[in-house]
Amino acid sequence: MDMVEDPNLYKAHDTPVPPPPALSAPTLRQSAPASIDKFYRPSEPLLVRSPFGLATKGAKGYEDKLVKGLIKTQFQDKTDIDYDVIDFVQHVWKFKPEDIPYSSYELDRANCHSYAKLEYERIDGISYQEITGERACCSAFENIIRGVCHELTPAIPSDEREFPLVFSFLHDRTPKGDYGKFKPDFGYAPAVEVNEHTWAHWGAYGELKKKRVTPNMRPTTRIVVTKTMIERLVKEWELRQEPDKRKDTDSSSSVSTSSHATPSSVASPTTQSQKRKAKAPAEPRASKRTKTSHGTRKSVDLTGNEIQSAKYANELLSHGIRNYATGFLVEETSMSLWYVDRMGLVKSRSFDIFRNPQLFLLVIAALHFANRAQLGMNPLIEFPPGVFQSYDRAVLRLPRAVDHAKEPVEELTFGLRITKAKPLVVAYGALGRGTTIIPVKAQGRARELFGSENLVVKMSWQPINREDTEDQLIRVIRRKLGKRKKTRRYLKHIVDLKCSLDLTDAELDLPRASMMVPEAYEPRLFRVLILREYLPLEYVRSLDDFRRIFIAAVKAHHKVYEIVGVLHCDISAGNVVFYRDNVGHAIGVLADWDLAAYKLNPDDVEKWMQLVEAKGTERPSQCSESQGDKDSDATLPDGDSSPLDNHGKRGPRYRTGTGPFMAFDLLDSLPVFHGYRHDLESFFYLLCYFCATFNPPKPSESKGTFRFLAGWENGNLSAVAKAKTDFLLRKKDNPEDKLDAFDSLFENTHKDYRSISQRPLET
C-alpha cells in the first residue's frame, strides 16, 4: 500500500542551519546545490574501510605477505575439504554430467606433451619462442582448455550463451582492481577483455603450480573421453539421485573420484577400465584429512599453494556484485575445485586431469556454459543482452521489501548508476559481511514511493543470529525521535532508510544451501537496504564543513542514546557522512548501524561482570534479544529478554568497532561491555585522525584524501593499543626525538585544520 508520511516528520531536513560562530580558520561558503551530483567528480574509488583492508594495508598499499597471513588465519576453521567433484559441479555451477554434449572429446596431444615436459613452442607469424618451466605449462594448459571449449561451442554458440567467457593465461599481467596487485595464472574473462583484465568482470580464476616432468607422457599419447565414459559418468550421477542407493554409490569406487586410467597410445573404454585403480588419487596431506562424500571440516592449515588460490578467490569476491567466487587449483596434474562465499571455503577432492579426463571435461564444460548467477554474480542484478563489459544499464530487481514504516511493498526496480565519479564500492575481504555500496535511481513503482533523489543500495551478509538488525534499529530510532517535537530536528542526522529486504541462502540459491556441508561457523543471511545517498568525509571542503558535521554527529549520537537507548558501537571516518542543505551547509549524518546495540542498565552490567568472572575472558553478547520495536526510551522494560539471556546460543563474539577509532578498553584482551564512553572516545579518535591525515581538495578538485596513519591503521589490535598509549601519554620511541607521539601525529596537519589540535571545536 502507498504510505503517506506526516509532512512534519522530516521537516527538519529542509530547515536551514543557523550560521556558525565566527572561526579563525578560513571557511568556504557553498551555493545551493541542485542535487548531490554537483559535489561528485571523477576520482579514485572511495573504499569501504573493512577489518581485512585495515589489517593488510601498509604504507605502500595492500601487501601480499599480510594478505596471505590473514587468509591463512581466517580460513583455518571455515574450510570444508574433500567435497565430491560431481556434487561440487552440480551444486555450484548447476551442471550435470548429462548436460555434456553427447560426443567424443580428445585433449590436444601436442599441448598435453608440452604440459608434461614443461616445454612449449610459441610461433607468432615468423617469430619463434621456446618457453620452459611453469610458464610453458600455463600456455599449454590454456590451449588444452580452449581446444575442448572449441569442441563444445557448436552445442551452444557463443552468441547464444548468456555469459560467454574466454579462458585466458594472463602472462604476468595484473587484473585491474581496487586492492591487491596480484597476478593469477588464469581468468575467465569477457572476450573483449582478453588483453586487459578486470577483476569485477571475471567469472572465475585458475592457478597452476607445476615443477616436475610428468612421466609416461609421450608425443603419441592420446587422452580421449569417449561416449561410453560420459555414459558411465551420467549413470553414476543418476544413481546419486536415488537416496536408497546413495550409500552404496559413495562406498564404491566411482568413476568420478577413484579411477586412475593411465593415458595410453590409444585410450579406449577397454584400456581405461583395465588400468583403473581401486583407491582414490593421492592427495597432499591425505593422512591428516578424513574424506567423505560431502566434505570434512576441521582446523585446516592451508598449504602455500592453497593460500595462493584462496588469495585469488578473496580478490575476486572483493570486486563486482557477487555472492561467491569459484576457481580451480592445479598442482602438477592434480586439480581441485574451489568455492568461497562469505561464510567459508569448500574445496573439492583432487583428481588427475590426465587419468580422469572425463572429470576434467565435466569441469571445462560446466565453466564454459555457466551463466552469471552460476559463477557467483548476484541474481538480483539483471543485465541487458550482449557481452558483459560493465554494470552500465543493469538494474536491481527486488521481489519484495519492507518500507520505512514496516509496510510490505512488491517488485521494486532500481537502475544502477555506477560511474568513475560514483563507483561500485565493495569491502575488501571474502569472509564476513562483504558490504557492497551501489549508487542507484528508483524506477517505476520504486520511483513513485521514493521519488527521484539519488539513492544507494547497501548489500551485506549479516549474522543470522542477530535479533536487532540494522534496518530495525534505524526504524526504531527515527520513529522515536519523530514522536517528540524537541527531537525531530535530529532526524536529519540519522541515515534515511527507504526500504529493506532479507533473503536466506536458500532463497538466493546459494550453493552452500544445497551442498550438505557442515553448518557454517557463522551462518549469515543476505540483507539489502535502500538508503538516501550521502557524501563521505573526503568531500569536506573547509573547517566549517567539518565542524558542522562532527558536532552534529556527536549530538545526534547522544540524543539516540538518551531517547532510544541505542549505542552505535562503530564510530569511524567511514560511518560519519553528510549532505548539503538548500543553502549549501554541510549536515552531518550517522550511518552504518550494523553493529549498534541497546545499552545495558546497571543490573545488567552487574550480571555481565558476574558472567565474565564465571566464563573467564569470553565476552557475552550485548545485543538485546527482542528490543527492535519496544517503546522503552532508555532501559530494557521488565519482563523482556535481557541482553544476557541465552548468551550460550549466540554465535562468535567480536570486539565492535574499527581499529583506528576503537576505544582503548576495547583494544585490550579483557572483556569489556561496550558503553557510551567508548563511542565518545571513538569520536575523539575520529577528530584526531581527521586532523592528522586529511588533505583537503585543491580548488580544481572535489575530493580530498586521507593519509595512511602508521600504527593506528594496523590489523594487530595490540599494536594499535600501543600506538594509542604512546599518543595519549606523549611518549617518545627514542629519548633523542624532538617530538613525542602526540606532537608527531599532528606534525603534518594541513594548515587549514591545525587549529583543531590547538583548541576545542566551538558549538
Side-chain angles (χ1 to χ4, degrees):
M1 61 178 289
D2 291 331
M3 295 299 299
V4 180
E5 282 188 354
D6 177 356
N8 295 318
L9 187 58
Y10 300 107
K11 188 175 181 180
H13 275 292
D14 301 320
T15 303
V17 178
L23 297 175
S24 57
T27 61
L28 178 63
R29 181 64 177 266
Q30 297 289 343
S31 59
S35 75
I36 202 169
D37 289 320
K38 293 280 187 180
F39 300 96
Y40 274 112
R41 294 180 189 171
S43 59
E44 292 298 316
L46 302 175
L47 306 182
V48 175
R49 294 174 176 84
S50 67
F52 191 96
L54 289 170
T56 57
K57 187 175 183 180
K60 296 182 179 180
Y62 297 94
E63 299 180 9
D64 183 74
K65 181 179 180 180
L66 296 177
V67 170
K68 287 181 177 179
L70 191 54
I71 283 175
K72 181 175 182 179
T73 301
Q74 285 192 342
F75 281 78
Q76 191 169 39
D77 57 356
K78 301 178 183 67
T79 297
D80 296 292
I81 59 175
D82 301 332
Y83 196 83
D84 181 83
V85 176
I86 293 180
D87 285 347
F88 184 102
V89 173
Q90 176 188 350
H91 291 295
V92 175
W93 294 318
K94 306 295 187 279
F95 194 85
K96 304 181 290 294
E98 64 182 18
D99 295 329
I100 299 175
Y102 194 65
S103 181
S104 293
Y105 301 86
E106 180 176 358
L107 305 187
D108 184 85
R109 275 184 286 176
N111 282 294
C112 287
H113 183 259
S114 295
Y115 183 88
K117 299 303 180 184
L118 283 77
E119 298 174 351
Y120 181 77
E121 298 176 357
R122 177 189 293 171
I123 301 177
D124 295 322
I126 60 174
S127 63
Y128 169 83
Q129 181 181 11
E130 183 174 326
I131 306 171
T132 59
E134 195 170 272
R135 286 178 59 85
C137 293
C138 288
S139 295
F141 192 77
E142 176 188 43
N143 288 339
I144 292 170
I145 290 187
R146 285 194 175 187
V148 175
C149 290
H150 180 73
E151 294 185 59
L152 292 169
T153 296
I156 305 180
S158 295
D159 57 358
E160 295 181 16
R161 286 158 53 205
E162 179 191 327
F163 194 30
L165 298 173
V166 176
F167 179 74
S168 301
F169 172 36
L170 267 66
H171 296 279
D172 289 328
R173 293 192 296 269
T174 303
K176 291 183 178 179
D178 296 328
Y179 300 108
K181 305 302 180 184
F182 305 136
K183 301 176 181 179
D185 290 325
F186 306 104
Y188 278 85
V192 294
E193 291 191 0
V194 170
N195 296 316
E196 189 173 301
H197 293 268
T198 304
W199 280 110
H201 301 164
W202 272 18
Y205 73 92
E207 182 67 4
L208 187 150
K209 300 293 182 184
K210 192 172 193 299
K211 303 297 182 185
R212 301 189 299 272
V213 172
T214 304
N216 303 322
M217 182 68 76
R218 298 184 296 275
T220 56
T221 300
R222 295 180 60 197
I223 301 177
V224 178
V225 180
T226 65
K227 293 181 180 180
T228 303
M229 295 168 70
I230 296 175
E231 288 174 351
R232 290 175 180 169
L233 207 60
V234 172
K235 180 65 175 177
E236 179 185 352
W237 178 81
E238 290 174 345
L239 289 174
R240 289 169 183 237
Q241 309 314 302
E242 304 176 30
D244 58 332
K245 294 184 178 181
R246 179 141 199 132
K247 183 176 179 180
D248 295 335
T249 305
D250 288 342
S251 62
S252 64
S253 298
S254 65
V255 173
S256 68
T257 56
S258 306
S259 56
H260 268 246
T262 304
S264 60
S265 296
V266 180
S268 67
T270 303
T271 57
Q272 292 273 4
S273 176
Q274 290 172 346
K275 293 180 179 282
R276 280 194 197 111
K277 296 183 180 180
K279 61 181 181 178
E283 265 229 37
R285 300 168 292 134
S287 61
K288 298 182 181 180
R289 297 181 174 183
T290 304
K291 297 183 179 182
T292 66
S293 296
H294 296 293
T296 299
R297 179 177 305 158
K298 59 192 301 183
S299 182
V300 175
D301 285 326
L302 298 179
T303 66
N305 290 345
E306 291 172 336
I307 292 174
Q308 189 87 345
S309 179
K311 181 180 72 174
Y312 298 135
N314 182 80
E315 208 69 25
L316 188 57
L317 198 47
S318 300
H319 293 83
I321 307 174
R322 303 180 190 275
N323 290 337
Y324 58 89
T326 62
F328 62 77
L329 171 64
V330 178
E331 299 174 280
E332 301 302 327
T333 60
S334 181
M335 172 180 272
S336 59
L337 312 180
W338 289 61
Y339 164 87
V340 177
D341 61 23
R342 301 298 178 185
M343 291 167 272
L345 160 69
V346 179
K347 175 179 174 288
S348 79
R349 295 178 183 175
S350 298
F351 65 92
D352 193 292
I353 60 175
F354 294 149
R355 295 175 183 270
N356 285 286
Q358 67 276 26
L359 278 188
F360 191 30
L361 171 65
L362 179 67
V363 172
I364 296 172
L367 286 167
H368 183 69
F369 293 121
N371 61 33
R372 296 182 185 92
Q374 290 158 359
L375 290 171
M377 292 193 174
N378 195 300
L380 299 179
I381 305 296
E382 296 181 6
F383 296 88
V387 177
F388 172 68
Q389 291 181 258
S390 70
Y391 288 92
D392 186 36
R393 296 187 296 125
V395 298
L396 167 69
R397 296 193 190 278
L398 301 184
R400 65 182 187 278
V402 178
D403 70 10
H404 71 279
K406 298 187 68 174
E407 292 292 338
V409 290
E410 303 291 334
E411 298 182 359
L412 300 177
T413 304
F414 303 87
L416 274 61
R417 300 171 54 252
I418 299 171
T419 64
K420 289 183 179 180
K422 297 183 180 182
L424 169 70
V425 180
V426 186
Y428 194 26
L431 304 183
R433 287 178 289 171
T435 302
T436 302
I437 307 296
I438 313 168
V440 297
K441 279 274 195 181
Q443 298 178 351
R445 168 70 169 154
R447 190 180 182 90
E448 295 175 9
L449 293 172
F450 310 131
S452 60
E453 68 178 330
N454 294 335
L455 305 172
V456 296
V457 178
K458 178 181 178 181
M459 295 179 172
S460 60
W461 286 86
Q462 298 290 341
I464 203 168
N465 57 6
R466 180 180 172 87
E467 285 81 6
D468 298 317
T469 63
E470 181 179 16
D471 55 329
Q472 290 174 351
L473 287 171
I474 293 173
R475 288 187 180 97
V476 172
I477 291 168
R478 294 188 65 85
R479 178 172 56 80
K480 290 186 176 182
L481 292 180
K483 285 171 62 176
R484 302 183 181 189
K485 186 176 181 179
K486 291 183 178 180
T487 59
R488 285 177 189 168
R489 63 192 180 96
Y490 293 100
L491 284 170
K492 62 184 177 183
H493 304 303
I494 305 301
V495 65
D496 187 2
L497 173 69
K498 305 298 183 182
C499 66
S500 64
L501 167 67
D502 284 354
L503 292 172
T504 65
D505 53 3
E507 289 175 309
L508 268 180
D509 199 21
L510 197 70
R512 180 177 294 275
S514 61
M515 291 179 81
M516 292 187 289
V517 293
E519 185 180 34
Y521 174 76
E522 186 174 15
R524 294 177 179 271
L525 58 79
F526 181 71
R527 177 163 297 135
V528 179
L529 304 184
I530 307 294
L531 306 159
R532 179 179 177 176
E533 183 181 62
Y534 298 100
L535 292 163
L537 290 179
E538 283 89 340
Y539 284 85
V540 165
R541 298 195 65 87
S542 67
L543 178 58
D544 180 44
D545 272 356
F546 180 70
R547 185 191 64 81
R548 289 173 176 274
I549 295 165
F550 184 81
I551 292 175
V554 173
K555 287 185 174 181
H557 174 271
H558 177 263
K559 194 57 63 175
V560 170
Y561 177 79
E562 180 183 51
I563 301 300
V564 191
V566 169
L567 284 168
H568 189 279
C569 297
D570 190 19
I571 301 298
S572 69
N575 294 342
V576 174
V577 294
F578 71 101
Y579 68 97
R580 296 192 183 276
D581 64 13
N582 55 3
V583 295
H585 287 156
I587 309 298
V589 176
L590 270 178
D592 291 340
W593 296 79
D594 307 60
L595 303 180
Y598 282 89
K599 68 180 181 180
L600 301 178
N601 61 37
D603 290 340
D604 288 326
V605 173
E606 184 177 349
K607 293 178 183 178
W608 179 294
M609 300 311 298
Q610 292 174 355
L611 191 61
V612 167
E613 292 176 1
K615 299 181 73 65
T617 59
E618 183 179 1
R619 182 190 306 276
S621 172
Q622 188 171 343
C623 302
S624 63
E625 286 289 327
S626 58
Q627 298 305 309
D629 206 23
K630 298 296 180 184
D631 289 327
S632 170
D633 285 340
T635 59
L636 298 173
D638 293 337
D640 285 297
S641 299
S642 162
L644 303 177
D645 291 343
N646 302 319
H647 61 273
K649 297 180 182 179
R650 293 186 177 274
R653 302 176 181 94
Y654 305 105
R655 298 175 174 90
T656 58
T658 305
F661 311 99
M662 286 174 65
F664 185 83
D665 282 353
L666 302 178
L667 294 170
D668 192 82
S669 59
L670 295 176
V672 178
F673 68 87
H674 199 119
Y676 178 79
R677 67 183 179 88
H678 296 121
D679 273 9
L680 203 59
E681 187 177 341
S682 292
F683 274 116
F684 168 70
Y685 293 134
L686 170 58
L687 183 65
C688 296
Y689 177 86
F690 185 92
C691 178
T693 67
F694 184 62
N695 287 319
K698 297 177 182 178
S700 60
E701 300 174 339
S702 62
K703 168 183 169 286
T705 58
F706 286 107
R707 294 189 300 273
F708 180 77
L709 188 57
W712 288 37
E713 298 187 63
N714 192 314
N716 186 327
L717 295 185
S718 297
V720 178
K722 181 184 182 304
K724 288 184 177 179
T725 299
D726 293 347
F727 168 73
L728 295 171
L729 299 181
R730 307 189 73 123
K731 289 185 176 181
K732 292 183 178 181
D733 290 336
N734 190 323
E736 299 179 357
D737 291 341
K738 293 183 179 180
L739 300 177
D740 58 37
F742 184 93
D743 292 330
S744 177
L745 188 79
F746 299 112
E747 183 179 12
N748 296 315
T749 297
H750 191 274
K751 61 182 179 60
D752 291 352
Y753 298 90
R754 199 163 292 154
S755 62
I756 300 178
S757 63
Q758 299 169 353
R759 62 184 176 86
L761 283 176
E762 299 175 9
T763 60

